[in-house]
Amino acid sequence: QEQLVESGGGLVQPGGSLRLSCAASGSIASFNGMGWYRQVPGKERERVVSFTTGGATNYADSVKGRFTISRENAKNTVYLQMNSLKPEDTAIYYCNAYGGGGYYWGKGTLVTVSS
């Protein structure tokens, strides 16, 4: 059973930056795809960005040009660099991965954008 652990959330002012990390218990190279999602209480979880192995990376329109996903296979970690943060980016951010018949979620990390 793969485990995903997010970190890096916190309180940031509008216009600021944060970098989220998602550490996997196993090799991220074994996954068919990974991504970041976010959810505001009372609303549906939405995709922020995702990629498939050997495929394209897809960003939600609301974060294009501001957020960047990257990965460090040697550390089995995926990152989400978030710049020019807005109050509407406030949410719990979840890491997702799938492959080998499994579909995995982390427990999330809270990002609050407020002055």
Side-chain angles (χ1 to χ4, degrees), residues 26-32 34 53 71 73 76:
S27 171
I28 63 172
S30 68
F31 294 130
N32 292 335
M34 297 187 71
T53 301
R71 53 185 160 175
N73 287 358
N76 293 318

Side-chain angles (χ1 to χ4, degrees), residues 8 12-20 38 48-49 59-70 79-90 93 111 113:
V12 62
Q13 292 188 343
S17 298
L18 279 176
R19 188 177 79 157
L20 305 184
R38 65 187 181 187
V48 175
V49 58
Y59 291 90
D61 288 343
S62 58
V63 307
K64 280 181 181 177
R66 300 189 298 123
F67 290 12
T68 303
I69 191 171
S70 62
Y79 304 98
L80 182 65
Q81 178 67 43
M82 305 187 295
N83 299 327
S84 302
L85 282 161
K86 305 175 181 180
E88 51 264 43
D89 294 318
T90 295
Y93 284 71
V111 172
V113 184

